[in-house]
Amino acid sequence: MAAFVSQTSLEPWLDSSHRRYWLARRNGKPIGCLILTPIQNNSWQIKNAVSFPDAPHGTSETLIFTALTDLYNENPTHTPSPNRTSVTFGITASDEMHAVQNLSGWKVSVLAAVYGKVAHVAGLLRRGEFRRKFQSEHEQMYVCYPQDGFSLEGINTMLKLLKK
């Protein structure tokens, strides 16, 4: 089984004083690691979720569930409030691109078709499928395009962002 890494880079000790770590072990040997980084107030982002090659299926899920349980148990306020702890996976690729405002025409249709194919082939949608296991809420994100168009370099930049 190949290692599953939720980010394109793994720098586990970067800014370690501000991060939280969970380590999965089997027979005393590390088989997975989860790293949370604070983003605001009582909010955390899952920065990395890694299952090592010898890890059994479900290691990443167990790490995430354990972290969520630990955070829940640490916070005495379990009702929706400003003090409630929240955790985000970060941005997830949408299964399709929709023009919302000030975009129309054949260029948008072509861009949407290319996006759909690239998202499928590059596996960008697998993260969303993984994240649904945790009944996560999907909040739409919007990409703003410059008035004079969106170049090939801009498309590449957007795809790099979605891969992170």
Side-chain angles (χ1 to χ4, degrees):
M1 172 197 292
F4 172 74
V5 180
S6 70
Q7 296 272 316
T8 55
S9 65
L10 178 62
E11 300 179 62
W13 313 124
L14 182 69
D15 197 25
S16 62
S17 63
H18 296 104
R19 296 192 177 185
R20 303 232 4 220
Y21 298 86
W22 281 261
L23 186 63
R25 293 187 180 122
R26 179 190 239 181
N27 300 324
K29 178 182 172 188
I31 57 170
C33 180
L34 176 74
I35 303 169
L36 298 183
T37 189
I39 52 176
Q40 68 179 17
N41 300 330
N42 290 336
S43 297
W44 297 88
Q45 180 174 357
I46 297 174
K47 193 66 178 163
N48 295 98
V50 181
S51 291
F52 301 142
D54 294 337
H57 286 286
T59 299
S60 294
E61 290 89 338
T62 300
L63 280 165
I64 292 170
F65 179 77
T66 301
L68 292 174
T69 301
D70 290 349
L71 291 171
Y72 179 84
N73 290 332
E74 290 170 6
N75 185 352
T77 306
H78 298 302
T79 58
S81 73
N83 296 328
R84 185 183 81 161
T85 299
S86 65
V87 178
T88 180
F89 284 101
I91 191 169
T92 300
S94 176
D95 53 351
E96 54 187 32
M97 186 190 108
H98 298 281
V100 177
Q101 187 176 0
N102 295 330
L103 292 172
S104 63
W106 68 270
K107 289 181 181 179
V108 174
S109 298
V110 170
L111 180 60
V114 168
Y115 170 82
K117 289 182 191 298
V118 170
H120 178 72
V121 170
L124 298 178
L125 306 179
R126 286 193 303 253
R127 289 192 180 157
E129 293 165 6
F130 176 82
R131 293 167 181 185
R132 276 192 274 282
K133 294 178 184 181
F134 300 95
Q135 299 174 349
S136 60
E137 297 175 14
H138 178 74
E139 294 181 27
Q140 290 190 343
M141 305 288 286
Y142 297 91
V143 177
C144 299
Y145 298 94
Q147 248 180 340
D148 58 344
F150 200 56
S151 67
L152 186 57
E153 182 181 329
I155 293 170
N156 285 331
T157 301
M158 181 177 72
L159 291 173
K160 285 179 185 175
L161 171 70
L162 292 171
K163 285 183 180 180
K164 284 189 172 189

